[in-house]
Amino acid sequence: VGGHFDHLGYGDSSSRMTAEEEGSVHNGADDNASGVALTLEVAEALVSARREGDWKRGVIFALWSGEELGLLGSGHFAKNPPVPLEQITAYFNFDMVGRLKDNRLILQAVGSSSGWRKLIEMKNLKAGFQLAIEDDPYLPTDVSSFYVRKIPCLNFFTGSHELYHRPGDDPETLNYEGLFRISELAFRMISETLTQDDRLD
């Protein structure tokens, strides 16, 4: 379970800053402090809810560096895993989850396992999001480090916006209620993968 914590600093070749914004810090509230916050929220919720003997498998929480430079952190993890990769049943990624609008949540890389759709439908009944399902697992975010090694993955995303990779991506632009609702859905989905007998294919 993870997301990347790096961003663009004062800007690089992928910055979309205007001439007036040049020299300003890119705070990256949505990209990707929102994903870091959601990862920590889910970690706390899972640890608080866990009862002895509940889980069929363990869980690793990770925050990646170097995503903006080319998936460096997650790529290093996949090449030097702390546990054998065949023991990793799934990877949940949170990248830009802070700008929920019109109740629309995008779930990406759903095509990485035939088990995702049933799990998503079951757990979204209570959450009530208007879901956009995207199958393609080849994404410019950390799920790609796992999918190429045959690990089912799922990316949570609330969509791009006009402040993407610009200095104005600041905390006051985030939808905090939406962020918490997404964390509740993620908690329920991750809990299911930790307690169900069968692994995702």
Side-chain angles (χ1 to χ4, degrees):
V1 180
H4 74 92
F5 68 82
D6 63 304
H7 199 44
L8 305 182
Y10 285 97
D12 62 14
S13 60
S14 62
S15 172
R16 298 172 56 248
M17 63 184 163
T18 64
E20 294 77 25
E21 294 169 329
E22 195 166 335
S24 300
V25 172
H26 295 58
N27 289 316
D30 188 29
D31 186 17
N32 185 38
S34 65
V36 170
L38 203 149
T39 301
L40 296 173
E41 182 70 27
V42 169
E44 183 178 40
L46 283 168
V47 170
S48 297
R50 184 184 186 189
R51 293 186 303 250
E52 194 65 37
D54 274 357
W55 294 357
K56 302 284 195 304
R57 48 191 60 90
V59 57
I60 297 172
F61 299 99
L63 298 173
W64 314 115
S65 63
E67 189 266 2
E68 301 287 6
L69 296 172
L71 316 184
L72 301 183
S74 60
H76 179 80
F77 176 96
K79 291 175 186 170
N80 306 274
V83 297
L85 288 179
E86 58 269 19
Q87 291 182 16
I88 300 178
T89 189
Y91 173 58
F92 290 82
N93 191 66
F94 308 114
D95 192 355
M96 295 179 63
V97 286
R99 297 283 293 262
L100 185 70
K101 186 176 179 183
D102 300 325
N103 199 39
R104 182 174 183 267
L105 175 63
I106 304 162
L107 294 178
Q108 299 174 309
V110 175
S112 64
S113 174
S114 65
W116 283 131
R117 286 180 181 272
K118 180 180 178 182
L119 179 61
I120 291 166
E121 183 178 344
M122 180 173 60
K123 297 305 177 183
N124 190 51
L125 285 174
K126 183 176 180 180
F129 287 107
Q130 183 68 41
L131 294 179
I133 304 293
E134 298 179 0
D135 284 330
D136 190 358
Y138 289 105
L139 299 168
T141 189
D142 293 297
V143 294
S144 291
S145 296
F146 293 86
Y147 178 68
V148 296
R149 290 165 175 85
K150 303 190 183 302
I151 296 170
C153 45
L154 193 63
N155 189 58
F156 290 67
F157 180 51
T158 53
S160 194
H161 46 80
E162 71 282 356
L163 296 178
Y164 170 68
H165 278 201
R166 289 180 59 196
D169 182 11
D170 289 332
E172 60 270 19
T173 67
L174 301 187
N175 177 347
Y176 291 96
E177 180 184 355
L179 188 58
F180 183 70
R181 286 182 57 221
I182 295 168
S183 77
E184 291 182 312
L185 173 62
F187 165 79
R188 288 192 288 272
M189 293 182 68
I190 295 165
S191 295
E192 184 73 17
T193 64
L194 290 172
T195 57
Q196 65 188 6
D197 290 326
D198 296 333
R199 291 169 56 106
L200 290 159
D201 62 297

